[in-house]
Amino acid sequence: MAGTGAAETPEAARVAAGLGGLLGPLRRAVLRATRNAEGLPDLPEAQIELLRALSSSPEGLSPGAAAARVRVAPSTVSNLVRAMSAARLVERVRPERDQRTVVLTASEEALNLLERYDRSSTAALTRVVEELSDADRAALHQALPALDRLVTALETGDSTRQDPVGP
């Protein structure tokens, strides 16, 4: 990252504190608006993350690969899969080539739900962003590349740690 001097530390700390304070409420507000707009079920964020990982791997993922993909402990994936299987969102498939292993796939119902979440989320955000001033919209647009780099830096700088995410 670009920070090199001690003089930048207070500004970086203020930005980090402000961003940290906004991320949780922003995620929850988007999820709430998304659910309310479409009458979607109250899926926990961790389940949505696992569904995203499974939907991006049509051939399925082993539980260990799924845990690595969403950066959680394997026991967390086991708990998520147990709840999501009961809700018919995740399917456990035993490949013919190796009956000792299990591959996780998102059910058709889950893929439809995820598509509805994405469509509704985009629509809800679009409505709100349209109501912002031109300056605010421009500021958000300009911030997107920096936020993308922030995500990448956090993921690559923290590649060995797995965040505890509950079901």
Side-chain angles (χ1 to χ4, degrees):
M1 299 274 250
T4 58
E8 294 175 3
T9 302
E11 181 184 357
R14 280 192 300 276
V15 169
L19 189 57
L22 287 173
L23 290 178
L26 176 61
R27 264 193 339 264
R28 288 187 297 277
V30 169
L31 205 48
R32 192 171 31 257
T34 298
R35 288 175 181 143
N36 292 342
E38 280 276 326
L40 290 162
D42 189 12
L43 293 180
E45 226 177 299
Q47 289 186 12
I48 294 171
E49 286 183 46
L50 181 56
L51 287 179
R52 286 199 190 290
L54 295 176
S55 71
S56 69
S57 298
E59 70 285 352
L61 294 171
S62 70
R69 181 81 57 93
V70 295
R71 302 181 67 123
V72 297
S75 60
T76 299
V77 167
S78 293
N79 291 335
L80 289 170
V81 168
R82 189 175 308 113
M84 294 169 76
S85 292
R88 297 188 319 262
L89 298 174
V90 171
E91 297 170 353
R92 295 178 179 125
V93 179
R94 294 206 181 272
E96 288 184 29
R97 68 188 183 286
D98 185 358
Q99 291 288 302
R100 296 171 295 155
T101 64
V102 171
V103 174
L104 305 174
T105 61
S107 70
E108 194 62 38
E109 180 179 344
L111 294 174
N112 290 335
L113 267 178
L114 196 54
E115 188 274 327
R116 287 176 58 206
Y117 266 94
D118 289 344
R119 185 182 55 224
S120 181
S121 174
T122 299
L125 283 167
T126 299
R127 278 190 302 278
V128 173
V129 169
E130 284 176 340
E131 294 173 4
L132 296 175
S133 69
D134 290 343
D136 282 348
R137 276 195 305 276
L140 286 172
H141 181 73
Q142 289 178 321
L144 293 175
L147 291 171
D148 189 45
R149 289 188 298 273
L150 180 62
V151 169
T152 300
L154 286 168
E155 287 178 345
T156 58
D158 198 21
S159 61
T160 60
R161 189 174 155 267
Q162 294 181 338
D163 292 326
V165 176

